[in-house]
Amino acid sequence: MGETRHSKVLIIGSGPAGYTAAVYSARAMLNPILVQGMQPGGQLTITTEVENWPGDTHVQGPDLMIRMEEHARAMGAEVVTDIITSLDLSKRPFVATGDSGTTYTADAVILATGAQARWLGLPSEEKFKGFGVSACATCDGFFYRGKEVVVIGGGNTAVEEALFLTNFATKVTLIHRRDSLRAEKIMQDRLFKHPKIQLLWNHTVDEVLGTDTPLGVTAVRALDVNTGAVTDVPCDGFFVAIGHAPASELVKDQLELHNGGYVKVEPGSTRTSIPGVFAAGDLTDHVYRQAVTSAGMGCMAALDAERFLAEHA
Ligand code: FAD
Ligand code: NAP
């Protein structure tokens, strides 16, 4: 049986929302405990250059997140390496159980569990995951030196992944289901100008093709959404970059959700459907989903929690 730790504020998640909530609640003398989860630093740890964090023209995502962690610790937050496996919000103090066996009780909870990569849901995608199929170019791009890769998606992530993969691959094919991208124009310009990148518009992927021994990808089967024609695009790696889904599993039966699983908050606040439980960042935001907006919501959540605790002392 593990130990029980009590805090006034328990912050679940270590992305920009969680660390900002930690900085603010530590400075409010609330002695927060922040549980980092399986991805310490959150989504920005799987990217390279971040160019839109105010104050930094260029910063590497992992470096920015190390700085945020150091900032939270320096202000007095306790940062814990653990994963919350269950959360009981039915009564106060709220009770969270960690994978380590530790039980965390708290007077207020800030949920900042962010989002996770979305997959196409194909059996062949599942079969080759880790053997040619990936959702993280920063993590796996290196394995495709001198090889050909395919990226699917039309948002900022897909364009960034495609550009990053040109550092390794001889050819990058970006497949998108429409004839225009939703990525920022500046990113699109870089993509269109790149000699190693080819675009396949109006196509989806309905199968990943490969070998069993050794397990590996040889092509993806692309389907023309207008004509139904099928084209096999040869590749050694297939990168899925079709967006992210909110990580609301812990609270899906306890809190009000909307827009496909995002935690619903009262407009203009971070208050969820349970008093004392606050949500910030990508977990609650299906519109902006940026580091700076997540950090802003982390700040709001800490201030909302502080007010709640003052009223319920
Ligand atoms: P996340 O960063 O998603 O962090 C979630 C945290 O919750 C993680 O630490 C995870 O470990 C933790 N967690 C989850 N479940 C549990 C659990 N059960 N127990 C404990 N902890 C848990 N935005 C920009 O503004 N600029 C960019 O250049 C940019 N580039 C990007 C590049 C890529 C490849 C991706 C994927 C995203 C990018 N974004 C960018 C978006 C940005 O990363 C997100 O908007 C931001 O990270 C969201 O922050 P967050 O704090 O809400 O959650
Ligand atoms: P996103 O903006 O939601 O884009 C997802 C893309 O995948 C869309 O183009 C979508 O097509 C496509 N798609 C979705 N489901 C699909 C399917 N089943 N099959 C084929 N294609 C599919 O996701 P994202 O690119 O991961 O970005 C998420 C958020 O992070 C955004 O707010 C983005 O701005 C932010 N971000 C910012 C930066 C940056 O600022 N540099 C970098 C990365 C991410 P449709 O276009 O047809 O819908």
Side-chain angles (χ1 to χ4, degrees):
M1 180 94 178
E3 61 173 340
T4 296
R5 305 282 318 276
H6 182 78
S7 59
K8 287 182 189 150
V9 178
L10 176 68
I11 300 165
I12 306 177
S14 57
Y19 282 141
T20 307
V23 167
Y24 273 78
S25 46
R27 294 191 76 245
M29 311 308 273
L30 295 174
N31 305 322
I33 291 180
L34 178 149
V35 180
Q36 287 183 307
M38 66 302 278
Q39 189 179 47
Q43 290 171 65
L44 283 187
T45 60
I46 60 162
T47 191
T48 49
E49 291 273 308
V50 175
E51 295 182 353
N52 50 17
W53 179 256
D56 284 312
T57 320
H58 295 284
V59 59
Q60 296 289 313
D63 292 345
L64 178 61
M65 297 319 299
I66 287 169
R67 276 164 40 194
M68 284 196 205
E69 176 179 345
E70 286 169 356
H71 191 170
R73 287 184 191 274
M75 293 299 121
E78 186 179 344
V79 177
V80 177
T81 306
D82 202 353
I83 299 168
I84 300 300
T85 52
S86 72
L87 181 61
D88 182 357
L89 301 174
S90 61
K91 57 182 181 321
R92 285 204 298 271
F94 304 114
V95 182
T97 310
D99 192 44
S100 63
T102 301
T103 299
Y104 303 88
T105 60
D107 302 323
V109 169
I110 295 176
L111 298 164
T113 48
Q116 281 160 6
R118 221 185 266 284
W119 296 94
L120 292 167
L122 306 170
S124 52
E125 172 191 58
E126 193 59 44
K127 173 175 170 183
F128 292 109
K129 258 187 208 169
F131 297 91
V133 171
S134 167
C136 177
T138 322
C139 320
D140 299 329
F142 189 70
F143 301 120
Y144 299 95
R145 271 172 304 163
K147 297 184 173 174
E148 297 190 2
V149 298
V150 168
V151 178
I152 186 166
N156 273 331
T157 301
V159 172
E160 258 186 19
E161 304 258 282
L163 286 166
F164 180 74
L165 286 163
T166 60
N167 293 322
F168 311 99
T170 50
K171 181 179 167 191
V172 178
T173 306
L174 181 72
I175 299 181
H176 183 41
R177 63 184 177 184
R178 293 189 292 123
D179 63 0
S180 65
L181 301 169
R182 67 170 64 227
E184 285 169 299
K185 296 290 177 246
I186 189 171
M187 307 283 293
Q188 295 195 27
D189 280 355
R190 287 178 201 163
L191 184 91
F192 296 147
K193 279 187 199 144
H194 204 292
K196 280 190 185 175
I197 298 178
Q198 246 177 36
L199 279 123
L200 189 55
W201 298 110
N202 298 310
H203 279 73
T204 54
V205 165
D206 67 358
E207 197 177 344
V208 183
L209 308 171
T211 51
D212 282 338
T213 40
L215 200 56
V217 170
T218 53
V220 294
R221 184 151 290 165
L223 184 75
D224 187 318
V225 295
N226 296 319
T227 65
V230 161
T231 313
D232 288 350
V233 184
C235 62
D236 304 286
F238 176 48
F239 289 83
V240 180
I242 60 166
H244 287 75
S248 52
E249 189 64 26
L250 279 176
V251 296
K252 68 177 178 2
D253 300 322
Q254 305 182 77
L255 293 179
E256 238 180 278
L257 308 181
H258 65 165
N259 296 321
Y262 289 83
V263 171
K264 191 172 178 184
V265 291
E266 277 176 43
S269 87
T270 60
R271 287 189 292 272
T272 68
S273 52
I274 296 183
V277 180
F278 306 90
D282 279 14
L283 174 68
T284 177
D285 174 18
H286 72 289
V287 180
Y288 303 106
R289 295 175 298 175
Q290 302 295 305
V292 69
T293 48
S294 298
M297 283 185 263
C299 156
M300 289 165 65
L303 297 177
D304 287 343
E306 186 185 355
R307 266 175 221 140
F308 171 84
L309 291 170
E311 285 160 13
H312 295 81

